[in-house]
Amino acid sequence: MWLKPEEVLLKNALKLWVTEKSNSYFVLQRRRGHGDAGGKISGLLVGALDAVLDSNARVTPFRILLQVPGSQVYWSIASGATLEEINHHWEWLAQNLLHTLSVFDNKEDIASFVNGKVKGLIAEETRSKQAEQEEDPEKFREALVKFETRFSLPSAEKLVTHYSCCCWKGRVPRQGWLYLSINHLCFYSFLLGKEVKLVVPWADVTKLERTSTSFITDNIRVTTRSKERDFSMFLNIEEAFRIMEQLADITIRRLLDNEVFELDQSLQEPAYITKRVLEERAQKEYFRAMFRLPHQERLQEVIDCSLWTPFSRSHTAGTMYMSDSFVCFTSREDGACILIIPFREVISVEKMENTSHLPNPIIISIRSKKAFQFIEIKRRDSLVEAILKQLESVRSKDRVCHKSPSKALISPLPYYSIYYDSISTDDETIEPAGNKNRHSLNEEALMSVFHHAEPQTTDSKFTMEQVKERLWQDHFSEYGKGICMFRTEKIQKLVTMGIPESLRGELWQTFSNSLSDLSSHPEYYANLVEESMGKCCLATEEIERDLHRSLPDHPAFQNETGIAALRRVLTAYAYRNPKIGYCQSMNILTSVLLLYSKEEEAFWLLVAVCEKMLPDYFNQRVIGAQVDQSVFEELIKDRLPELSEHITDLSSLSSITLSWFLTLFLSIMPFESAVNVVDCFFFDGIKAIFQLSLAVLDANVQELCESKDDGQALMILTRFLDQVKNRENPIPPVSSQQVCSEEKETVQQETEITDLIRDSYEKFGDITVEQIECFRRRHRIRVLQAHEDTTKENTLRLVAPDISLTPEEMSDVYDLFKREHFINCYWGEHLSAVQHHDPSLQYVDQYRIDRPQFTSLYHLLSPWVCGLHTDTVAHRAFRLLDKNEDSLINFREFAVFLDTMYCGEMSDKIRLLYKLHIPPALTENDSDSLSPLKTPLLSTSRPLYVGRPNGETKSYQEQLKQMLKDLAKDQEKSEEGLPMMTQREFIQFCKTLYSMFHEDPNENDLCQAIATVTTLLLQIGEVGQRVRSLGSYSEVSADTSESGDMAVGPSLLEDDSLFVDRKNSQSLSLSDAEWTVTFEQILASLLTEQSLVNFFEKPLDLKNKIENAKLNQYNERINILLIK
């Protein structure tokens, strides 16, 4: 296949590749170890390396490189899995490009031409493949052509799907076509000679919902900050809404939350986003959420089948999912049976004889001497082959890991993409520290050491704890134990009763699947502790501050043993994942994990919670927790309508319930009750917290409806949760951090935690993982857009004191600035553009633009339009604003620049123009500044008179003398003046002024005025040049008097402190002295011409510019991108 051209250095690749063919411009190479009959040792090593790598990292065995004569850099342009495939590309190059390239003289032109040609082939291939993937390729091709013709968007804007529907304007429907592309929602209608086009970027969508009106019972409402639009009359509204949700979610997360959002590999290139890919992605998200698997786990096979379930003595129909490291099964009946089989536990996979009773069966055997039988598999042979291949890949990695333990710790790890800060880098590994200086780790749960059991009772009956243990042992014997156990509704009932103390840590690891991480990364935690302990950073300071606040009433954390273990786990995790580091509430959660599991097990449980079960909860913006609060509000409206009618603003209620989700109720209710909640959380995930939170509100709905304010509602819920007890708890109660005052007049009735949990499952247990994931997609849009609104408000608040623009103008300029960034993300260099947005920075720095984006905004908003010279001025302005030289400018810098042009005084505007024509804005390499002019633009001997308002004229020598006196005084007052302008820079300054006056109604007057000012300034510059070259006042006076060219007497020069440096006066030859003028001289000269003063002081209409920019911003950027 054709590849996006990338540079390749053959110096580092000669040992891995063998050249098969070559000509003047192209090289065809074969990977060593592929097709070698001799089996040399180097080929075997390379082949073994490729076999160990996973499917994403493997290299195709053939490739074609572009070689430019005389260059050490090669370009990779094609690859192939077979010799036939790569030969087909080679022949195409030989027939179509080889003879054409000989006409180019410049090697850069050769590379540019070939790269452009290959990119065009990729685009054409992509378009054909995209059409073939649709159910009706011909129909999709036709829609694609119409989409490109009607909206004229760049070819990079890929159409995903289209629907026939109506767009409503008030009560009037417009029948047309809805086109859903990767970045935009587009609608087109042409009825009765009236054409309607609508383009809505997904990044502008703030809400996406299905609603009903008095006219239409079911429609899709798309809400932006400016208006709402309703679409209806779809043939399949379910599918259309699902695709719209996914596209909006992907785009908004990519643009607004790239801090944590890791896009699937299939979605890295927008060209590969199709309707089928989106459906597969939704299935993958459901798969990972259902089985609590790492985000990096890739789904490879989904097959309908039946599993033999010995507890029911029958086959249970369901679906098998195969990923990189697991084979999973879930029954069609929700909750009937779930099974997870890690490949590391698998011993063999066998095909059994096909019979009428057992059609297409396979047996998967595991290490615990158990086997699982699957039947009714349609593609049995291909599935078994895929499982065996993946099994061998996992075993190969395990062998490498066990031989070289340090290699297993190379980041990023397979289950999480780690972002390193100064502590560690991508290329570093965590080396084993050996036995010396190792920190001793807790090899048993803290509860077993600090557990103070109640006195033995003389009752012969079993205690409740012993009854629970017996029930669980019976369950293990029937359903299995460990990660490969059958998970059914029966196990759910056991969990709701509360897991026994002796089994709690083990079952938490089983339910969270942290056992797999622990077994696949031996010694990882111990080595991480050695690397992290003793390192000081902000996270470690916060950890030390919170150590003694973690379950302070529990004896385990009144002892240095518990405190030290907590310190090690939190520090190791902060070192492992500095993007999260340490967040409040992590200390409470980790304390509980340490009570019921060994130290290393607690670490992997923390990893599972932070990175799999509660994604995006523990970071700077806690986006995940806010999204779930928004989901919770919708569930309240749906499940508790009486409460939602009374409390119209549910966001106030969310401020109370947020801590329930962040701490899993551990800091909200008594500890002995909260651990039962954690049991349910590890078994059912976040679903359990949603259910229990709804049950708590339901139990207090009457009192909450009678409450008068948020404070009273908080007291009601706090009092209720404080009285949630666990009478079956075998250990003495631990005081909760939330203790009600003893002085309360009323006594709250106690609630049993098991009853509360049981009610939550009975009343709200029908909430499914799939529903929660769907709700999260929808509400993530709202939460991220709310963050954007907050960012905008704070940015405008911080910038407002520095500028004079109105709040409305500032708001509109900010929107244009931000949209310019987005447009570059759509169709520019995607990766670099996204990096310009960093939500972790200060508000004014979160969005930054580069030079092309600034140039586009300059064309749209600047009042200083200079015709063909505009781009040159824009580039100089960008260099001037880019003070830190990172090739990016933020909104404050852009706003201040725009404010100066529109609202500044004349002196401020001239000062800005002056700065645009001296370094660093004007550089030596500025192509427009390389003027052939070496002499003054105009004659300096021409008589010059300055007009006065009353019509009198005054000799320019007199005016100049007074002007220089005033400017000398001003310069003495100023601490630091601007650098002097050379003749080359002055020529460019004049050129810009002439360009600015072009097409102005008073162009003739302005040109005449600037000619006058130019002549005056050239004469001033000559005076300064003569002064510096002659080096004395008498010589200057004599020379100027005798020459007659300038009637400037000694008195003038005595006052002219701007021309003479008395301390460093040196005698220079006239040819060595440089012609210069100062900013003060230019400003004073311009002030002598009323037409110029009027030009720079006339009011400018920014509002009109903004309105035109809103209409033309897309067209402006599209043209620039197409030219590029």
Side-chain angles (χ1 to χ4, degrees):
M1 63 178 178
W2 298 107
L3 301 176
K4 183 178 180 180
E6 292 184 356
E7 291 185 3
V8 176
L9 290 175
L10 289 189
K11 180 179 178 181
N12 300 324
L14 289 176
K15 297 181 180 179
L16 300 178
W17 295 90
V18 179
T19 299
E20 294 285 316
K21 299 179 183 179
S22 66
N23 54 39
S24 302
Y25 299 100
F26 302 104
V27 179
L28 190 155
Q29 294 183 329
R30 171 179 53 81
R31 185 83 165 174
R32 287 187 185 273
H34 295 275
D36 286 341
K40 294 182 180 179
I41 189 67
S42 60
L44 293 175
L45 288 174
V46 175
L49 175 64
D50 291 344
V52 170
L53 295 174
D54 60 27
S55 57
N56 269 357
R58 286 179 188 160
V59 181
T60 53
F62 300 96
R63 69 178 183 180
I64 297 177
L65 305 178
L66 165 67
Q67 60 172 0
V68 179
S71 174
Q72 297 295 321
V73 179
Y74 289 63
W75 295 81
S76 173
I77 59 174
S79 67
T82 64
L83 186 59
E84 291 77 15
E85 180 185 1
I86 204 68
N87 277 333
H88 176 73
H89 291 322
W90 179 265
E91 291 171 2
W92 189 93
L93 291 170
Q95 294 174 6
N96 296 276
L97 291 186
L98 191 58
H99 300 294
T100 307
L101 297 180
S102 60
V103 304
F104 290 99
D105 296 328
N106 191 333
K107 59 185 179 182
E108 294 181 358
D109 292 341
I110 295 175
S112 178
F113 176 77
V114 175
N115 290 346
K117 199 72 176 177
V118 171
K119 288 179 181 178
L121 292 171
I122 293 174
E124 198 63 35
E125 269 187 3
T126 302
R127 182 181 298 183
S128 300
K129 289 179 180 178
Q130 186 180 2
E132 289 170 4
Q133 289 176 355
E134 301 299 323
E135 296 175 357
D136 189 345
E138 291 302 323
K139 185 177 180 182
F140 185 81
R141 285 192 183 95
E142 181 183 348
L144 186 59
V145 171
K146 290 181 179 178
F147 170 72
E148 294 174 346
T149 304
R150 289 168 176 172
F151 298 100
S152 301
L153 297 176
S155 58
E157 187 66 23
K158 299 300 180 183
L159 178 65
V160 176
T161 189
H162 64 291
Y163 299 96
S164 173
C165 67
C166 282
C167 178
W168 291 79
K169 184 179 181 180
R171 299 185 178 184
V172 179
R174 294 194 187 99
Q175 180 64 37
W177 289 92
L178 182 69
Y179 297 90
L180 304 180
S181 66
I182 55 176
N183 297 306
H184 298 84
L185 177 153
C186 305
F187 179 80
Y188 180 85
S189 175
F190 186 81
L191 289 175
L192 302 176
K194 185 175 182 180
E195 185 180 51
V196 176
K197 292 183 183 180
L198 176 66
V199 178
V200 180
W202 292 119
D204 289 352
V205 175
T206 58
K207 186 186 294 185
L208 198 60
E209 58 187 340
R210 289 175 66 176
T211 61
S212 59
T213 64
S214 55
F215 303 101
I216 300 296
T217 57
D218 195 6
N219 67 325
I220 298 175
R221 176 165 294 169
V222 180
T223 305
T224 63
R225 290 179 178 85
S226 57
K227 61 177 66 175
E228 296 177 346
R229 297 177 177 87
D230 290 334
F231 300 90
S232 64
M233 299 184 186
F234 293 87
L235 291 177
N236 189 344
I237 194 169
E238 294 280 351
E239 177 190 288
F241 184 67
R242 185 174 65 251
I243 297 295
M244 291 168 73
E245 266 190 333
Q246 289 180 304
L247 286 171
D249 178 59
I250 290 171
T251 304
I252 290 176
R253 293 182 73 183
R254 176 167 58 91
L255 296 178
L256 306 185
D257 196 31
N258 56 288
E259 176 189 15
V260 294
F261 179 50
E262 299 168 10
L263 219 55
D264 289 347
Q265 188 67 30
S266 59
L267 302 179
Q268 291 289 351
E269 289 291 337
Y272 296 106
I273 299 180
T274 64
K275 187 167 73 171
R276 182 179 299 177
V277 168
L278 291 176
E279 291 171 351
E280 290 174 355
R281 181 174 182 270
Q283 192 175 45
K284 290 176 184 178
E285 288 183 344
Y286 167 74
F287 161 73
R288 288 192 289 258
M290 169 63 71
F291 300 105
R292 265 160 272 116
L293 300 179
H295 178 79
Q296 299 300 324
E297 197 68 22
R298 296 169 303 174
L299 182 61
Q300 296 185 358
E301 297 282 349
V302 180
I303 298 175
D304 291 333
C305 64
S306 295
L307 170 66
W308 172 255
T309 49
F311 54 87
S312 64
R313 299 184 181 278
S314 64
H315 285 90
T316 301
T319 306
M320 176 193 289
Y321 301 86
M322 192 196 86
S323 66
D324 294 341
S325 307
F326 299 90
V327 172
C328 304
F329 175 87
T330 181
S331 58
R332 290 177 188 170
E333 183 183 351
D334 189 30
C337 179
I338 294 176
L339 177 67
I340 302 175
I341 308 174
F343 277 123
R344 286 186 174 85
E345 298 294 321
V346 175
I347 296 176
S348 64
V349 180
E350 302 172 297
K351 292 186 287 186
M352 294 177 60
E353 183 181 354
N354 186 10
T355 66
S356 58
H357 297 289
L358 298 175
N360 296 329
I362 67 171
I363 296 291
I364 298 179
S365 303
I366 61 175
R367 294 177 181 175
S368 58
K369 298 181 180 179
K370 291 185 179 180
F372 301 96
Q373 182 189 81
F374 297 87
I375 64 171
E376 299 176 345
I377 300 173
K378 294 181 179 180
R379 297 180 288 108
R380 182 176 67 163
D381 293 343
S382 62
L383 175 64
V384 171
E385 184 180 350
I387 292 177
L388 290 174
K389 184 178 179 181
Q390 199 63 33
L391 181 61
E392 181 58 32
S393 175
V394 172
R395 288 175 177 173
S396 298
K397 291 178 182 178
D398 282 346
R399 285 193 293 268
V400 174
C401 291
H402 289 298
K403 288 180 181 178
S404 304
S406 64
K407 298 298 183 183
L409 305 175
I410 296 175
S411 299
L413 298 175
Y415 47 81
Y416 189 79
S417 293
I418 301 176
Y419 300 86
Y420 285 94
D421 56 11
S422 58
I423 295 177
S424 178
T425 65
D426 289 342
D427 296 327
E428 294 175 346
T429 61
I430 304 171
E431 297 291 345
N435 293 325
K436 66 175 183 177
N437 299 329
R438 269 194 178 273
H439 292 79
S440 59
L441 307 181
N442 285 358
E443 295 299 329
E444 55 184 339
L446 293 177
M447 188 65 79
S448 62
V449 180
F450 298 95
H451 174 50
H452 301 292
E454 291 181 325
Q456 293 286 340
T457 60
T458 57
D459 194 345
S460 60
K461 295 183 179 180
F462 289 113
T463 64
M464 191 60 191
E465 190 74 3
Q466 291 172 323
V467 171
K468 288 191 212 176
E469 290 177 359
R470 178 65 61 85
L471 289 173
W472 275 99
Q473 294 302 332
D474 293 342
H475 185 275
F476 292 150
S477 62
E478 186 176 2
Y479 294 88
K481 188 176 182 180
I483 194 171
C484 297
M485 71 164 65
F486 290 102
R487 309 178 192 203
T488 65
E489 291 180 347
K490 184 176 180 180
I491 199 172
Q492 176 183 299
K493 294 177 182 178
L494 291 175
V495 171
T496 57
M497 294 170 59
I499 298 176
E501 299 284 319
S502 59
L503 298 174
R504 182 162 275 145
E506 176 187 345
L507 289 173
W508 283 0
Q509 294 175 71
T510 299
F511 296 150
S512 66
N513 199 21
S514 66
L515 278 174
S516 297
D517 296 333
L518 176 62
S519 61
S520 60
H521 298 88
E523 295 298 315
Y524 176 86
Y525 174 67
N527 295 322
L528 195 62
V529 168
E530 294 302 318
E531 288 289 324
S532 61
M533 294 304 294
K535 300 289 178 65
C536 184
C537 62
L538 179 61
T540 57
E541 294 175 3
E542 294 176 348
I543 289 170
E544 290 297 326
R545 188 166 55 247
D546 287 347
L547 283 177
H548 296 279
R549 303 175 186 173
S550 310
L551 300 183
D553 297 315
H554 197 286
F557 298 101
Q558 296 171 349
N559 185 289
E560 183 56 31
T561 301
I563 294 295
L566 180 60
R567 178 187 292 111
R568 287 192 294 271
V569 173
L570 291 174
T571 304
Y573 185 79
Y575 185 83
R576 159 192 161 79
N577 189 353
K579 204 67 177 182
I580 291 179
Y582 170 77
C583 298
Q584 286 189 349
S585 78
M586 286 175 66
N587 60 318
I588 299 173
L589 174 61
T590 308
S591 301
V592 178
L593 299 178
L594 284 167
L595 288 177
Y596 295 101
S597 56
K598 300 175 184 178
E599 187 175 324
E600 185 175 11
E601 295 168 348
F603 171 79
W604 288 111
L605 281 170
L606 181 64
V607 169
V609 172
C610 294
E611 298 173 10
K612 293 188 291 187
M613 303 184 72
L614 295 177
D616 299 353
Y617 263 60
F618 302 98
N619 54 36
Q620 184 179 7
R621 301 197 297 171
V622 291
I623 294 294
Q626 294 183 53
V627 170
D628 281 351
Q629 287 304 295
S630 186
V631 171
F632 188 51
E633 291 178 20
E634 181 167 342
L635 290 174
I636 293 173
K637 293 177 183 177
D638 184 40
R639 300 304 183 97
L640 301 173
E642 182 182 355
L643 181 61
S644 62
E645 289 175 5
H646 176 74
I647 305 178
T648 54
D649 183 12
L650 291 174
S651 60
S652 60
L653 196 59
S654 295
S655 63
I656 300 173
T657 60
L658 177 62
S659 59
W660 301 0
F661 286 74
L662 284 172
T663 65
L664 307 179
F665 285 91
L666 286 168
S667 63
I668 307 302
M669 62 173 62
F671 171 78
E672 59 275 8
S673 302
V675 289
N676 284 32
V677 178
V678 179
D679 293 341
C680 297
F681 168 74
F682 277 115
F683 178 71
D684 260 331
I686 196 63
K687 171 179 179 288
I689 306 301
F690 278 116
Q691 291 174 184
L692 187 64
S693 300
L694 288 170
V696 171
L697 296 181
D698 184 52
N700 295 274
V701 66
Q702 186 174 354
E703 291 185 69
L704 289 172
C705 289
E706 295 173 357
S707 63
K708 298 179 180 179
D709 53 40
D710 298 343
Q712 190 174 352
L714 175 61
M715 291 299 297
I716 292 169
L717 294 172
T718 301
R719 190 166 57 244
F720 173 83
L721 290 169
D722 280 340
Q723 297 303 314
V724 176
K725 303 298 182 182
N726 186 1
R727 299 187 187 92
E728 300 170 357
N729 184 45
I731 61 175
V734 178
S735 300
S736 173
Q737 293 183 5
Q738 301 290 334
V739 181
C740 293
S741 174
E742 297 178 357
E743 300 179 0
K744 291 185 178 176
E745 299 179 358
T746 60
V747 178
Q748 178 73 27
Q749 183 179 357
E750 291 186 357
T751 303
E752 183 65 28
I753 183 61
T754 54
D755 295 337
L756 185 61
I757 292 175
R758 191 180 302 111
D759 286 345
S760 73
Y761 275 93
E762 290 176 356
K763 294 181 179 179
F764 310 107
D766 57 335
I767 299 173
T768 65
V769 172
E770 194 170 12
Q771 286 177 334
I772 292 175
E773 289 301 311
C774 182
F775 286 150
R776 279 175 165 175
R777 274 198 304 271
R778 190 178 311 162
H779 288 276
R780 190 180 293 110
I781 296 172
R782 303 180 189 179
V783 171
L784 289 174
Q785 294 289 18
H787 272 271
E788 286 301 296
D789 291 340
T790 301
T791 299
K792 178 179 177 179
E793 291 172 5
N794 284 282
T795 301
L796 298 183
R797 176 178 55 82
L798 293 171
V799 173
D802 301 332
I803 61 178
S804 303
L805 300 177
T806 65
E808 294 78 13
E809 290 172 339
M810 284 176 58
S811 176
D812 289 336
V813 171
Y814 180 88
D815 291 339
L816 291 169
F817 185 89
K818 178 177 164 183
R819 185 182 297 171
E820 193 65 34
H821 162 76
F822 285 162
I823 291 174
N824 203 61
C825 293
Y826 299 155
W827 307 312
E829 296 296 330
H830 293 272
L831 293 178
S832 61
V834 171
Q835 289 171 357
H836 299 173
H837 174 233
D838 188 351
S840 64
L841 296 177
Q842 296 181 0
Y843 289 115
V844 294
D845 292 323
Q846 289 190 15
Y847 285 103
R848 292 168 292 171
I849 57 175
D850 56 19
R851 181 179 296 184
Q853 295 167 303
F854 176 82
T855 302
S856 175
L857 284 176
Y858 186 93
H859 278 273
L860 291 168
L861 296 176
S862 174
W864 296 347
V865 179
C866 306
L868 298 176
H869 194 59
T870 304
D871 280 355
T872 302
V873 176
H875 293 165
R876 292 171 185 167
F878 183 84
R879 286 194 291 268
L880 176 65
L881 298 177
D882 183 24
K883 296 179 181 178
N884 58 359
E885 298 184 353
D886 62 351
S887 299
L888 298 170
I889 64 171
N890 61 30
F891 177 71
R892 183 199 295 275
E893 294 164 338
F894 179 77
V896 170
F897 172 73
L898 197 66
D899 180 69
T900 302
M901 290 190 290
Y902 278 94
C903 304
E905 299 290 339
M906 179 179 175
S907 59
D908 297 326
K909 295 177 182 180
I910 301 303
R911 180 178 285 104
L912 177 59
L913 274 172
Y914 186 91
K915 290 180 179 180
L916 291 178
H917 295 84
I918 58 175
L922 185 70
T923 64
E924 292 293 334
N925 298 325
D926 195 324
S927 59
D928 197 61
S929 68
L930 302 177
S931 174
L933 294 175
K934 300 297 182 182
T935 56
L937 290 172
L938 300 173
S939 171
T940 58
S941 60
R942 187 183 67 170
L944 181 62
Y945 297 92
V946 179
R948 290 183 170 181
N950 57 7
E952 299 178 6
T953 60
K954 184 178 180 180
S955 171
Y956 80 95
Q957 288 93 344
E958 298 177 16
Q959 181 73 15
L960 178 60
K961 181 178 178 180
Q962 184 61 43
M963 176 187 72
L964 293 176
K965 286 182 179 180
D966 296 338
L967 291 177
K969 295 179 182 178
D970 293 339
Q971 189 181 34
E972 291 175 0
K973 296 178 183 178
S974 63
E975 297 180 359
E976 182 180 357
L978 292 171
M980 302 181 84
M981 181 178 283
T982 65
Q983 189 177 56
R984 181 180 73 91
E985 295 163 354
F986 178 70
I987 291 171
Q988 292 304 311
F989 179 82
C990 296
K991 182 176 180 180
T992 300
L993 289 177
Y994 277 111
S995 301
M996 288 171 58
F997 302 151
H998 183 58
E999 295 185 357
D1000 187 275
N1002 301 315
E1003 181 178 357
N1004 291 334
D1005 293 341
L1006 290 170
C1007 289
Q1008 184 176 357
I1010 198 62
T1012 302
V1013 170
T1014 301
T1015 302
L1016 173 61
L1017 287 169
L1018 286 170
Q1019 294 172 348
I1020 292 175
E1022 286 186 357
V1023 171
Q1025 186 179 29
R1026 290 174 182 274
V1027 169
R1028 285 187 295 275
S1029 63
L1030 297 177
S1032 68
Y1033 301 114
S1034 58
E1035 290 177 311
V1036 172
S1037 177
D1039 182 70
T1040 53
S1041 299
E1042 292 174 7
S1043 65
D1045 289 342
M1046 292 193 65
V1048 181
S1051 61
L1052 174 60
L1053 295 175
E1054 289 173 2
D1055 293 331
D1056 187 10
S1057 61
L1058 300 176
F1059 289 159
V1060 182
D1061 186 352
R1062 295 180 174 87
K1063 295 181 180 178
N1064 300 303
S1065 179
Q1066 297 179 0
S1067 181
L1068 302 171
S1069 66
L1070 189 60
S1071 59
D1072 291 337
E1074 187 176 12
W1075 184 99
T1076 57
V1077 290
T1078 66
F1079 163 70
E1080 290 79 6
Q1081 292 166 351
I1082 290 178
L1083 175 61
S1085 301
L1086 291 173
L1087 289 172
T1088 61
E1089 294 293 332
Q1090 190 62 42
S1091 58
L1092 295 177
V1093 173
N1094 294 340
F1095 177 84
F1096 283 105
E1097 290 189 346
K1098 68 181 178 181
L1100 301 172
D1101 186 7
L1102 176 59
K1103 185 176 181 180
N1104 188 46
K1105 279 276 189 180
I1106 290 173
E1107 293 303 320
N1108 290 331
K1110 290 178 181 178
L1111 297 175
N1112 300 319
Q1113 187 174 24
Y1114 266 55
N1115 293 332
E1116 180 76 23
R1117 284 294 290 158
I1118 289 170
N1119 291 334
I1120 291 177
L1121 290 166
L1122 291 177
I1123 292 172
K1124 287 170 64 179

